[in-house]
Amino acid sequence: MIGRKSQSKLVETQDSPQSFDDYALRLGDVMRGERATLGKSLLDVQRELRIKASYIAAIENCDPSAFDTPGFIAGYVRSYARYLGMDPDEAFAGFCAESGFSVAHGMSADASTIRKPVPGEPSRPKARDPLAEPNMPFAPAGDSFLSHIEPGAIGSSLVLLALIAGIGYGGWTVLQEIQRVQLSPVEQTPMVLSELDPLDAARAPATPDAVGQKAMADAGVAGVFTPPTNDAFDRLYRPQALDVPVLVARDAPISTLDPDTGGMFAGAGTSATLPNVQDSTLAAAALQPGFGQDPTQLALGSGVTVVAARPAWVQIKDDNGAVLFSGILNAGDTYPVPQGAADPVIKVGESGAIYFAVNGTLHGPAGPSGAVTTDLALDGALIVAGYDPVTVQDDPDLVPVMAKLAPGATAEPQTQVASLPAGQFGQPQPQVLAASTPGVTIVASREAWVRVKAPSGATIFETIMQPGDTYRVPQTETPPTIRTGDAGAVYFAVNGKTYGPYGSNGAVADNLALSVTNVTQTMAAADLARNTELAKVVAQLNAGQIGVQD
């Protein structure tokens, strides 16, 4: 039988181009596309939905193993789908279809958070966490540390280190060469200038001779030990240059040194030939014809006359209490007690400066220096009986006074204070300063704080002035100003006159320009008869007992 041979037909398949619909879209691609359309990142979705970014990534990858509790997967998927504007049920169904996830009963093992491995079931690969692994698989790996080091830089660094080491070694070599001391031999042999032992004179001269030393050595007796003297150690440790001169410390003030007994002029007798120089304080009295003599009688009238050797405040009253005189007697001033005064008495502020002339003979003083004498009767017989006559040796300040009051004196007549009614001051206004360049001097009658400032604001003088202290204000184009804590104790002396006070007692005064014009126009002349403190200060200033501070 002849059979027929079957012929197979070749079916030609033509590959047609595929469209977008030919590709199967996965749930994760759709969700990522929707999230990209909204312009949201995983962190943005986490902040808005309060769902971890790792859970959002697991939903897009359809990976239920990334969730800790499978029971919340359905809620997470539906919430995320609703956020993207997708159908929540369709999105959850697609998630279950792609991942194989099924909703388990609450009491089943699949709903447990702890998954037990199923024997024979392959483990699913864990999805990549975009936060823990931000690098994409296709991103290039980071460069290593050695890749940033260039060989050329290493060579340059080595060359620089070698250069620094060479410079340091060269400097050290030069320093060693400079500090090296080289000794070169000389042709001339040094000569011994002296073979004297400087310690020979200080050694003990008594030494045993050679025979005595040998006998002592045979007998086994040690030699006599002679300790070195203090002169030996002194010469040994003291250089020769310090031997002379030997200085002797002076333990006395320089005013006690006598050039006749010490120094370059010792024994020359030069001090004996020096002329006797007149004391400058007695220069005015030295011009008197009777200077150097001790007059027993003064050119004064009969009766009792009050004589002042130094400035002192004096007050004389009669028996009725009327004030015959009250004021300050300067050095050399006299006051004759009226003959018709009934039982006059005197009160003295400085008893050691007041003397009494009875019929031309000087008696006194009224009391010790610095003491106050009150109610002393000015009766000639009582004064002669109570006070001894005085001479120039008793009080040196009486020398110019007695020279002026001596008979035959040719100097200007002595200043006498006439008898005035009660309450009047019987002497001219005393000058505080000599009439010189016009200026302002601050005078304190009591303790007061004073501060003087320059026009720039700088303090040029600040202190607590004591009674009798003065300060001469510097003369500037713009006068300085003064501030004081007790204005009643501050006065101003201008051209020999006293002005003030600055203000009331205990008051604070400020911003007074210390110029001559301003002080004389602002302040009134001080009344010394009403201010005993100021009168005493002015008298001391006139007598030169208080200096003016610049």
Side-chain angles (χ1 to χ4, degrees):
M1 181 176 178
I2 300 174
R4 270 192 340 191
K5 187 177 180 180
S6 63
Q7 297 179 357
S8 60
K9 296 181 180 180
L10 299 175
V11 179
E12 297 180 358
T13 59
Q14 296 181 357
D15 296 335
S16 59
Q18 297 179 354
S19 63
F20 179 77
D21 296 334
D22 295 335
Y23 293 94
L25 291 178
R26 300 179 64 85
L27 178 63
D29 297 334
V30 177
M31 288 185 172
R32 278 188 287 271
E34 294 294 337
R35 181 167 56 81
T37 302
L38 296 177
K40 303 292 183 179
S41 64
L42 295 177
L43 296 178
D44 295 336
V45 177
Q46 174 180 323
R47 284 192 298 269
E48 296 180 8
L49 293 182
R50 298 295 188 272
I51 301 176
K52 292 183 179 180
S54 59
Y55 291 171
I56 300 298
I59 293 174
E60 293 178 352
N61 295 331
C62 297
D63 182 14
S65 62
F67 296 90
D68 296 335
T69 305
F72 295 101
I73 294 178
Y76 289 157
V77 174
R78 286 188 174 90
S79 298
Y80 186 44
R82 193 178 296 107
Y83 173 79
L84 297 176
M86 300 172 58
D87 188 1
D89 296 335
E90 291 182 1
F92 180 67
F95 178 81
C96 294
E98 293 183 11
S99 63
F101 175 76
S102 60
V103 178
H105 190 269
M107 300 300 294
S108 62
D110 295 336
S112 176
T113 58
I114 301 177
R115 298 285 186 85
K116 296 182 180 180
V118 180
E121 181 180 359
S123 60
R124 295 172 56 88
K126 188 175 182 180
R128 181 182 64 84
D129 188 359
L131 299 180
E133 300 176 4
N135 296 332
M136 302 301 293
F138 54 83
D143 297 336
S144 61
F145 174 76
L146 297 178
S147 62
H148 296 283
I149 301 176
E150 298 182 2
I154 298 177
S156 300
S157 301
L158 294 177
V159 171
L160 180 61
L161 294 176
L163 180 61
I164 294 175
I167 293 175
Y169 179 76
W172 180 80
T173 304
V174 172
L175 182 62
Q176 295 293 328
E177 189 68 24
I178 292 175
Q179 295 181 348
R180 180 179 301 173
V181 179
Q182 296 181 354
L183 301 177
S184 58
V186 295
E187 297 179 358
Q188 183 179 2
T189 304
M191 298 176 59
V192 179
L193 299 179
S194 176
E195 295 182 354
L196 299 178
D197 188 358
L199 300 180
D200 285 342
R203 293 174 180 171
T207 54
D209 54 2
V211 178
Q213 291 181 358
K214 186 174 184 304
M216 291 166 52
D218 295 339
V221 179
V224 178
F225 172 71
T226 303
T229 61
N230 294 333
D231 294 338
F233 287 110
D234 186 62
R235 270 302 285 117
L236 180 62
Y237 295 107
R238 186 176 67 181
Q240 183 71 20
L242 297 182
D243 283 349
V244 289
V246 178
L247 302 180
V248 179
R250 176 175 54 83
D251 194 15
I254 194 171
S255 60
T256 61
L257 297 180
D258 187 4
D260 291 339
T261 59
M264 298 178 59
F265 301 100
T270 56
S271 61
T273 61
L274 294 178
N276 293 325
V277 181
Q278 192 80 23
D279 189 0
S280 59
T281 59
L282 305 178
L287 300 177
Q288 303 294 340
F291 180 77
Q293 303 177 4
D294 191 2
T296 57
Q297 293 293 325
L298 301 179
L300 298 174
S302 61
V304 179
T305 303
V306 180
V307 180
R310 290 176 296 277
W313 176 80
V314 174
Q315 185 183 60
I316 301 176
K317 294 182 179 181
D318 59 4
D319 190 16
N320 298 325
V323 178
L324 302 178
F325 172 76
S326 178
I328 295 177
L329 294 179
N330 292 320
D333 292 349
T334 60
Y335 175 75
V337 181
Q339 297 288 341
D343 298 332
V345 293
I346 186 173
K347 182 178 180 180
V348 183
E350 171 61 12
S351 301
I354 297 300
Y355 293 84
F356 307 101
V358 181
N359 297 327
T361 303
L362 198 61
H363 299 265
S369 298
V372 178
T373 302
T374 59
D375 298 334
L376 177 61
L378 294 178
D379 184 77
L382 296 178
I383 292 176
V384 172
Y387 296 97
D388 297 331
V390 296
T391 60
V392 294
Q393 287 78 14
D394 297 331
D395 191 346
D397 292 337
L398 288 176
V399 174
V401 175
M402 298 181 71
K404 290 197 306 179
L405 300 179
T410 59
E412 73 262 10
Q414 64 273 16
T415 304
Q416 292 188 356
V417 180
S419 177
L420 297 177
Q424 296 187 6
F425 190 56
Q427 65 176 9
Q429 174 74 15
Q431 291 188 352
V432 178
L433 300 175
S436 58
T437 305
V440 179
T441 301
I442 302 173
V443 181
S445 62
R446 297 190 307 274
E447 181 177 335
W449 170 80
V450 175
R451 182 179 65 189
V452 179
K453 280 191 174 183
S456 61
T459 301
I460 59 179
F461 177 76
E462 182 176 4
T463 186
I464 298 178
M465 301 184 67
Q466 301 298 328
D469 289 351
T470 60
Y471 172 71
R472 182 176 293 129
V473 180
Q475 299 182 15
T476 56
E477 183 178 358
T478 303
T481 58
I482 181 176
R483 177 182 176 89
T484 179
D486 188 1
V490 176
Y491 293 82
F492 306 97
V494 179
N495 293 333
K497 293 185 179 181
T498 308
Y499 295 86
Y502 188 13
S504 58
N505 293 332
V508 178
D510 195 7
N511 294 331
L512 174 65
L514 297 177
S515 62
V516 175
T517 304
N518 189 35
V519 171
T520 55
Q521 293 179 357
T522 305
M523 302 291 172
D527 187 2
L528 302 184
R530 298 183 179 180
N531 193 336
T532 57
E533 296 177 349
L534 179 63
K536 182 177 180 181
V537 172
V538 171
Q540 293 175 350
L541 288 173
N542 288 333
Q545 297 181 6
I546 301 178
V548 179
Q549 183 178 1
D550 292 329

